Amino acid sequence: ETGVTQTPRHLVMGMTNKKSLKCEQHLGHNAMYWYKQSAKKPLELMFVYNFKEQTENNSVPSRFSPECPNSSHLFLHLHTLQPEDSALYLCASSPEGLMNEKLFFGSGTQLSVL
Amino acid sequence: TQLLEQSPQFLSIQEGENLTVYCNSSSVFSSLQWYRQEPGEGPVLLVTVVTGGEVKKLKRLTFQFGDARKDSSLHITAAQPGDTGLYLCAGVDFGNEKLTFGTGTRLTIIP
């Protein structure tokens, strides 16, 4: 248990569906992240939020829409996804959002787009 | 964007054997982290190294940071089935302070 909880653990959706991934951290951290983990590719940083403000968007397609209502919660809203978006989506948190900090990851949401 | 190559990509060995995995780049890191990711879970930090030539030990795991801070290695002594997992290195680029993950080594320890 890392203190970062992601739901759902598994998600299957069609290309026309709209769904949301949820992440919650109980560590009192100020920074939260979304990463994408695909087979045979390194972990890709998607979004960074620091004190609820988005500080990084790594050229992510607009069909992925993040939301951070407070420092403890992070969402990733999904709509009109493509099959190549199938991957493990990992949420992480860190104390201050500094690049050399330890990242605390959740268990991820395994997403399959049909 | 720097590329961190990890080798080997896959490694399967018998319990009790020793092994070394590598993380290499042409870029200089200000710090480097090693994570282990078990099946169905997120990565968990094992160690952070920050000084060129630094060696850190974590029980049977020995981490070394290259003198030039461009590479790192992880050596496991007397591997156990609990060591099975995906080992990821992640480096903070000295220039742009971005954290980049490596390609990963998937390790399987056979009982």
Side-chain angles (χ1 to χ4, degrees):
Chain A
E1 176 59 52
T2 62
V4 180
T5 304
Q6 289 187 243
T7 55
R9 291 295 304 269
H10 302 273
L11 179 62
V12 179
M13 58 187 290
M15 289 190 284
T16 58
N17 291 158
K18 287 185 180 181
K19 296 287 184 182
S20 295
L21 310 185
K22 179 182 176 182
C23 177
E24 184 174 0
Q25 56 99 359
H26 310 277
L27 301 169
H29 290 168
N30 293 314
M32 296 188 78
Y33 310 76
W34 280 116
Y35 277 89
K36 176 182 179 182
Q37 188 173 35
S38 308
K40 300 181 182 179
K41 291 178 70 175
L43 252 70
E44 301 172 66
L45 178 63
M46 299 175 72
F47 302 104
V48 181
Y49 278 82
N50 214 337
F51 292 92
K52 303 186 299 178
E53 298 297 320
Q54 188 178 124
T55 56
E56 190 148 349
N57 176 340
N58 267 358
S59 302
V60 181
S62 59
R63 57 186 183 270
F64 295 91
S65 175
E67 179 189 1
C68 188
N70 54 62
S71 294
S72 299
H73 294 85
L74 185 64
F75 296 88
L76 188 62
H77 304 298
L78 315 172
H79 62 99
T80 59
L81 293 192
Q82 305 298 311
E84 60 264 29
D85 296 323
S86 298
L88 180 68
Y89 288 85
L90 290 162
C91 173
S93 71
S94 70
E96 302 296 335
L98 301 175
M99 284 296 108
N100 60 354
E101 285 183 328
K102 175 180 179 180
L103 291 173
F104 293 75
F105 284 91
S107 299
T109 295
Q110 186 66 55
L111 175 67
S112 296
V113 181
L114 305 179
Chain B
T1 303
Q2 64 176 331
L3 182 64
L4 280 78
E5 296 277 359
Q6 290 189 244
S7 60
Q9 188 177 353
F10 298 95
L11 182 59
S12 183
I13 65 170
Q14 293 289 136
E15 180 177 359
E17 293 184 354
N18 302 332
L19 66 107
T20 303
V21 298
Y22 301 91
C23 173
N24 294 291
S25 176
S26 57
S27 299
V28 176
F29 308 128
S30 57
S31 65
L32 189 136
Q33 302 170 338
W34 282 94
Y35 289 82
R36 179 172 64 214
Q37 184 176 15
E38 297 182 11
E41 300 297 331
V44 175
L45 182 70
L46 298 173
V47 78
T48 301
V49 286
V50 295
T51 305
E54 183 177 1
V55 177
K56 279 193 173 179
K57 292 196 172 189
L58 186 67
K59 296 183 180 178
R60 294 175 295 101
L61 278 60
T62 302
F63 303 85
Q64 186 160 6
F65 201 13
D67 291 340
R69 302 211 302 246
K70 293 183 177 183
D71 52 83
S72 182
S73 64
L74 159 58
H75 181 80
I76 301 179
T77 303
Q80 298 178 1
D83 297 325
T84 292
L86 177 67
Y87 287 80
L88 298 167
C89 65
V92 179
D93 186 282
F94 191 77
N96 62 21
E97 289 292 300
K98 298 284 188 183
L99 180 70
T100 302
F101 278 84
T103 49
T105 292
R106 192 166 295 279
L107 176 64
T108 302
I109 308 302
I110 303 166

mmCIF file of all heavy atoms in Angstrom, chain A residues 56-72:
data_model
loop_
_atom_site.group_PDB
_atom_site.id
_atom_site.type_symbol
_atom_site.label_atom_id
_atom_site.label_comp_id
_atom_site.label_asym_id
_atom_site.label_seq_id
_atom_site.Cartn_x
_atom_site.Cartn_y
_atom_site.Cartn_z
ATOM 1 N N GLU A 56 2.411 20.827 -16.297
ATOM 2 C CA GLU A 56 3.000 20.169 -17.456
ATOM 3 C C GLU A 56 1.940 19.397 -18.221
ATOM 4 O O GLU A 56 1.103 18.720 -17.623
ATOM 5 C CB GLU A 56 4.120 19.233 -17.024
ATOM 6 C CG GLU A 56 4.955 18.690 -18.170
ATOM 7 C CD GLU A 56 6.400 18.443 -17.800
ATOM 8 O OE1 GLU A 56 6.836 18.873 -16.723
ATOM 9 O OE2 GLU A 56 7.092 17.818 -18.610
ATOM 10 N N ASN A 57 1.992 19.523 -19.530
ATOM 11 C CA ASN A 57 1.142 18.758 -20.447
ATOM 12 C C ASN A 57 2.062 18.328 -21.571
ATOM 13 O O ASN A 57 2.478 19.140 -22.395
ATOM 14 C CB ASN A 57 -0.006 19.622 -20.958
ATOM 15 C CG ASN A 57 -0.859 18.908 -22.000
ATOM 16 O OD1 ASN A 57 -0.424 17.933 -22.621
ATOM 17 N ND2 ASN A 57 -2.065 19.378 -22.188
ATOM 18 N N ASN A 58 2.397 17.037 -21.593
ATOM 19 C CA ASN A 58 3.397 16.561 -22.547
ATOM 20 C C ASN A 58 2.779 16.237 -23.903
ATOM 21 O O ASN A 58 2.806 15.093 -24.349
ATOM 22 C CB ASN A 58 4.125 15.342 -21.979
ATOM 23 C CG ASN A 58 5.384 15.734 -21.260
ATOM 24 O OD1 ASN A 58 5.754 16.893 -21.203
ATOM 25 N ND2 ASN A 58 6.041 14.760 -20.683
ATOM 26 N N SER A 59 2.208 17.250 -24.534
ATOM 27 C CA SER A 59 1.640 17.089 -25.882
ATOM 28 C C SER A 59 0.655 15.935 -25.944
ATOM 29 O O SER A 59 0.681 15.125 -26.880
ATOM 30 C CB SER A 59 2.754 16.867 -26.908
ATOM 31 O OG SER A 59 3.671 17.933 -26.891
ATOM 32 N N VAL A 60 -0.187 15.859 -24.940
ATOM 33 C CA VAL A 60 -1.166 14.780 -24.874
ATOM 34 C C VAL A 60 -2.392 15.153 -25.705
ATOM 35 O O VAL A 60 -2.868 16.292 -25.621
ATOM 36 C CB VAL A 60 -1.585 14.528 -23.415
ATOM 37 C CG1 VAL A 60 -2.593 13.388 -23.337
ATOM 38 C CG2 VAL A 60 -0.366 14.216 -22.552
ATOM 39 N N PRO A 61 -2.917 14.213 -26.507
ATOM 40 C CA PRO A 61 -4.116 14.511 -27.319
ATOM 41 C C PRO A 61 -5.284 14.966 -26.446
ATOM 42 O O PRO A 61 -5.428 14.544 -25.294
ATOM 43 C CB PRO A 61 -4.421 13.154 -27.979
ATOM 44 C CG PRO A 61 -3.131 12.423 -27.971
ATOM 45 C CD PRO A 61 -2.404 12.860 -26.746
ATOM 46 N N SER A 62 -6.132 15.799 -27.022
ATOM 47 C CA SER A 62 -7.228 16.396 -26.263
ATOM 48 C C SER A 62 -8.297 15.381 -25.864
ATOM 49 O O SER A 62 -9.163 15.712 -25.052
ATOM 50 C CB SER A 62 -7.881 17.515 -27.075
ATOM 51 O OG SER A 62 -8.380 17.010 -28.298
ATOM 52 N N ARG A 63 -8.228 14.171 -26.381
ATOM 53 C CA ARG A 63 -9.198 13.148 -25.948
ATOM 54 C C ARG A 63 -8.903 12.700 -24.509
ATOM 55 O O ARG A 63 -9.686 11.971 -23.915
ATOM 56 C CB ARG A 63 -9.199 11.955 -26.907
ATOM 57 C CG ARG A 63 -7.858 11.275 -27.098
ATOM 58 C CD ARG A 63 -7.997 10.201 -28.191
ATOM 59 N NE ARG A 63 -6.772 9.447 -28.396
ATOM 60 C CZ ARG A 63 -5.837 9.791 -29.264
ATOM 61 N NH1 ARG A 63 -5.973 10.879 -30.006
ATOM 62 N NH2 ARG A 63 -4.748 9.059 -29.386
ATOM 63 N N PHE A 64 -7.766 13.116 -23.974
ATOM 64 C CA PHE A 64 -7.441 12.917 -22.565
ATOM 65 C C PHE A 64 -7.562 14.279 -21.864
ATOM 66 O O PHE A 64 -6.858 15.228 -22.228
ATOM 67 C CB PHE A 64 -6.021 12.399 -22.383
ATOM 68 C CG PHE A 64 -5.791 11.037 -22.948
ATOM 69 C CD1 PHE A 64 -5.351 10.876 -24.248
ATOM 70 C CD2 PHE A 64 -6.005 9.899 -22.181
ATOM 71 C CE1 PHE A 64 -5.144 9.623 -24.781
ATOM 72 C CE2 PHE A 64 -5.783 8.630 -22.696
ATOM 73 C CZ PHE A 64 -5.352 8.497 -24.002
ATOM 74 N N SER A 65 -8.405 14.351 -20.854
ATOM 75 C CA SER A 65 -8.640 15.622 -20.178
ATOM 76 C C SER A 65 -8.464 15.443 -18.673
ATOM 77 O O SER A 65 -9.265 14.764 -18.035
ATOM 78 C CB SER A 65 -10.058 16.108 -20.494
ATOM 79 O OG SER A 65 -10.358 17.278 -19.774
ATOM 80 N N PRO A 66 -7.415 16.027 -18.074
ATOM 81 C CA PRO A 66 -7.210 15.864 -16.643
ATOM 82 C C PRO A 66 -8.007 16.881 -15.836
ATOM 83 O O PRO A 66 -8.386 17.937 -16.334
ATOM 84 C CB PRO A 66 -5.703 16.122 -16.492
ATOM 85 C CG PRO A 66 -5.414 17.119 -17.580
ATOM 86 C CD PRO A 66 -6.346 16.807 -18.711
ATOM 87 N N GLU A 67 -8.239 16.516 -14.588
ATOM 88 C CA GLU A 67 -8.909 17.423 -13.656
ATOM 89 C C GLU A 67 -8.338 17.203 -12.270
ATOM 90 O O GLU A 67 -8.202 16.054 -11.843
ATOM 91 C CB GLU A 67 -10.419 17.163 -13.629
ATOM 92 C CG GLU A 67 -11.184 18.057 -12.652
ATOM 93 C CD GLU A 67 -12.630 17.628 -12.483
ATOM 94 O OE1 GLU A 67 -13.058 16.622 -13.107
ATOM 95 O OE2 GLU A 67 -13.333 18.279 -11.695
ATOM 96 N N CYS A 68 -8.015 18.284 -11.584
ATOM 97 C CA CYS A 68 -7.452 18.174 -10.227
ATOM 98 C C CYS A 68 -8.210 19.130 -9.310
ATOM 99 O O CYS A 68 -7.821 20.298 -9.170
ATOM 100 C CB CYS A 68 -5.962 18.511 -10.253
ATOM 101 S SG CYS A 68 -5.099 18.199 -8.703
ATOM 102 N N PRO A 69 -9.299 18.673 -8.695
ATOM 103 C CA PRO A 69 -10.119 19.548 -7.866
ATOM 104 C C PRO A 69 -9.436 19.983 -6.564
ATOM 105 O O PRO A 69 -9.739 21.042 -6.029
ATOM 106 C CB PRO A 69 -11.372 18.719 -7.588
ATOM 107 C CG PRO A 69 -10.921 17.303 -7.747
ATOM 108 C CD PRO A 69 -9.849 17.318 -8.786
ATOM 109 N N ASN A 70 -8.541 19.149 -6.054
ATOM 110 C CA ASN A 70 -7.764 19.504 -4.854
ATOM 111 C C ASN A 70 -6.491 18.678 -4.867
ATOM 112 O O ASN A 70 -6.310 17.805 -5.716
ATOM 113 C CB ASN A 70 -8.592 19.253 -3.575
ATOM 114 C CG ASN A 70 -9.132 17.837 -3.519
ATOM 115 O OD1 ASN A 70 -8.362 16.875 -3.478
ATOM 116 N ND2 ASN A 70 -10.460 17.704 -3.515
ATOM 117 N N SER A 71 -5.631 18.925 -3.903
ATOM 118 C CA SER A 71 -4.314 18.272 -3.916
ATOM 119 C C SER A 71 -4.375 16.778 -3.681
ATOM 120 O O SER A 71 -3.375 16.087 -3.899
ATOM 121 C CB SER A 71 -3.407 18.906 -2.857
ATOM 122 O OG SER A 71 -3.113 20.238 -3.184
ATOM 123 N N SER A 72 -5.510 16.253 -3.255
ATOM 124 C CA SER A 72 -5.618 14.831 -2.942
ATOM 125 C C SER A 72 -6.258 14.019 -4.045
ATOM 126 O O SER A 72 -6.192 12.790 -4.009
ATOM 127 C CB SER A 72 -6.443 14.626 -1.657
ATOM 128 O OG SER A 72 -5.839 15.256 -0.576
#
